[in-house]
Amino acid sequence: GESDEMKLAAKAAQLRTSERVTEPVDLRPYLAVRQNEVSFGWTLANGVLESPNSNRTPVVIDLVPPAEYSLIAEVEPLGDNRGPVFALSAGGKRVHVLLDFNGASAIENVDGRSVTANPTRREGTFLERGKKSKIVCTVRDGRIHVSVDGTTVIDFTGSFDRLSQNLNWDPEDTD
C-alpha cells in the first residue's frame, strides 16, 4: 500500500493543479510547525494547533491552494491578545485577514492602506475568549468573504490588484 506521506504528496499535487477543490481537505496533515515556530511557542498535539500569546508568530500550512477555495478554521481565543491572522492567496498575491485586531477586522492592505484605514475595516469584536468559533475565509474570482459563526465580518469585491502585503509581514515569504 501507499504510505501516508505518498498519499499526502499525491493529494497536494492534485490540489495544486485543480481549478477548484470540490471536496473538503483536512489541512492538519499539512501543518508544518518548524523549529523557529516551536521556539515562538507553537504546539501541535492531537490535531490541535495552539499558538503563543504574542504578535507575528506564523505557522505554515505547506500547501498552495487553487485559485478558488474556502479556508475553514475552528478557533478558540485563550487570551485577551489580538485575534488570528490568516495569510490567503488571492489572484497570485498574498493578503492577510486580521480578525479582532485592536477592536477591528480587515484585509491588509487594500489600496495601499493598512487595517487602520481601508474599506474592508469593520469595527467590533467577533471572537469570544474561551468560546470556539468557526471562521470561513472564501476566495473567489474578485471576491474575498470572511465570516465568523455565520456572520459576515469582511466582504471585499474588486480587483485583487488593489491588494498588497503589509511590509510588517515578511516580504521574502510570498508563497
Side-chain angles (χ1 to χ4, degrees):
E2 242 183 323
S3 72
D4 286 343
E5 188 172 308
M6 290 298 289
K7 287 178 187 174
L8 276 177
K11 187 66 170 179
Q14 175 192 1
L15 289 172
R16 285 187 180 103
T17 59
S18 297
E19 286 189 28
R20 189 170 190 164
V21 176
T22 57
E23 61 189 58
V25 176
D26 183 350
L27 295 178
R28 287 176 290 192
Y30 299 96
L31 290 172
V33 180
R34 299 176 296 199
Q35 185 56 46
N36 64 330
E37 293 154 351
V38 170
S39 68
F40 284 135
W42 284 94
T43 60
L44 178 61
N46 301 318
V48 175
L49 178 66
E50 190 168 325
S51 72
N53 194 16
S54 59
N55 295 329
R56 293 191 183 91
T57 50
V59 71
V60 173
I61 297 174
D62 191 21
L63 184 65
V64 177
E68 294 191 344
Y69 63 97
S70 293
L71 173 67
I72 302 169
E74 183 180 77
V75 300
E76 179 182 358
L78 301 176
D80 292 325
N81 206 353
R82 297 174 178 153
V85 176
F86 295 96
L88 303 178
S89 175
K93 295 177 175 277
R94 173 180 284 176
V95 297
H96 292 93
V97 169
L98 288 72
L99 295 170
D100 289 2
F101 182 86
N102 292 333
S105 299
I107 294 173
E108 188 169 62
N109 291 332
V110 179
D111 301 326
R113 298 190 326 246
S114 72
V115 64
T116 57
N118 79 49
T120 65
R121 182 181 173 90
R122 179 151 179 217
E123 300 289 330
T125 302
F126 301 94
L127 301 170
E128 185 179 327
R129 181 181 180 171
K131 177 187 173 228
K132 290 182 181 177
S133 290
K134 181 179 178 179
I135 299 170
V136 180
C137 302
T138 301
V139 177
R140 296 289 183 264
D141 185 27
R143 184 174 188 207
I144 298 174
H145 181 267
V146 180
S147 66
V148 175
D149 294 329
T151 299
T152 296
V153 177
I154 298 168
D155 195 3
F156 170 83
T157 303
S159 172
F160 291 151
D161 289 339
R162 295 175 57 201
L163 307 177
S164 61
Q165 181 172 306
N166 187 304
L167 294 181
N168 286 327
W169 301 101
D170 187 354
E172 302 283 325
D173 190 18
T174 58
D175 288 341

